[in-house]
Amino acid sequence: MSGCNKLTESGRRFFLGRGALAVAGAAAASTVPQAPAKATPALARVAYPVSRLGNMRDLKVNEPMDISYPDADSTGVLIKLGTRVEGGVGPDGDVVAFSNLCPHKGYPMFYQADDRTLNCPGHYSRFDCEKGGLQVWGHATQNLAQFRLRVDAGGDIHAEGVDELLYGRHSNVL
Ligand code: FES
């Protein structure tokens, strides 16, 4: 029994000794001057290409035109909605462009003219083209990527950027 007590006592001393060392180490670490924290570097700005999509003369109200932006693998539609909308360009503020790849799993979507939505045949997500591609139903977990547009003096319509991540990409511009 006395041998057992000696073992217990030596274990207790070992534990207390290590504990004291740990406390001393923590105290020393807290008094060591630390290098000032550096701010997180700003994220890289995305440099989008400028790409001519068409001309105002090419568009008919509520009839989408097939386009691609910022590269050939990213398909979309250019639409003159006939109603001024936020983000719309042109004399009537009604021209918009969206990716037509569903943000859920990338199915190509179709335009439904009667309610001006893009619709996915995969799992039926729907996006409102009059509200900046707002998802109005379905499995997708983000709104539809809208292309930023500019119309020049000659009526040419240029895409200059994208406001959401395109389906299947880590970056819109690789
Ligand atoms: Fe469009 Fe699933 S791929 S809802």
Side-chain angles (χ1 to χ4, degrees):
M1 220 33 184
S2 66
C4 185
N5 284 343
K6 279 184 187 166
L7 278 177
T8 302
E9 183 59 23
S10 69
R12 194 175 74 84
R13 284 187 187 150
F14 179 79
F15 174 78
L16 290 175
R18 286 293 168 102
L21 276 177
V23 169
S30 69
T31 58
V32 172
Q34 302 288 316
K38 291 186 178 148
T40 305
L43 296 175
R45 289 180 62 98
V46 176
Y48 283 102
V50 175
S51 176
R52 181 186 178 280
L53 302 180
N55 188 280
M56 291 297 297
R57 288 188 307 270
D58 305 330
L59 297 177
K60 294 186 173 66
V61 172
N62 218 11
E63 291 184 19
M65 171 191 289
D66 292 337
I67 56 164
S68 60
Y69 182 80
D71 54 50
D73 293 332
S74 172
T75 55
V77 287
L78 179 65
I79 315 165
K80 180 174 173 56
L81 293 169
T83 309
R84 182 174 296 273
V85 293
E86 195 169 325
V89 298
D92 302 321
D94 63 346
V95 175
V96 291
F98 295 94
S99 168
N100 72 339
L101 300 178
C102 179
H104 180 222
K105 292 201 172 184
Y107 277 60
M109 298 192 288
F110 62 90
Y111 183 69
Q112 191 163 304
D114 60 353
D115 64 1
R116 292 167 170 76
T117 56
L118 279 160
N119 295 262
C120 179
H123 313 100
Y124 313 115
S125 283
R126 307 180 73 230
F127 303 89
D128 190 336
C129 295
E130 292 181 315
K131 293 195 169 70
L134 179 74
Q135 182 181 349
V136 291
W137 201 88
H139 288 14
T141 55
Q142 72 171 56
N143 296 327
L144 192 55
Q146 183 169 10
F147 301 145
R148 192 169 60 242
L149 303 177
R150 175 177 58 84
V151 179
D152 68 20
D156 281 342
I157 304 161
H158 306 273
E160 301 184 321
V162 183
D163 73 346
E164 295 271 0
L165 189 62
L166 297 167
Y167 174 76
R169 301 188 179 207
H170 299 296
S171 167
N172 285 339
V173 181
L174 302 176

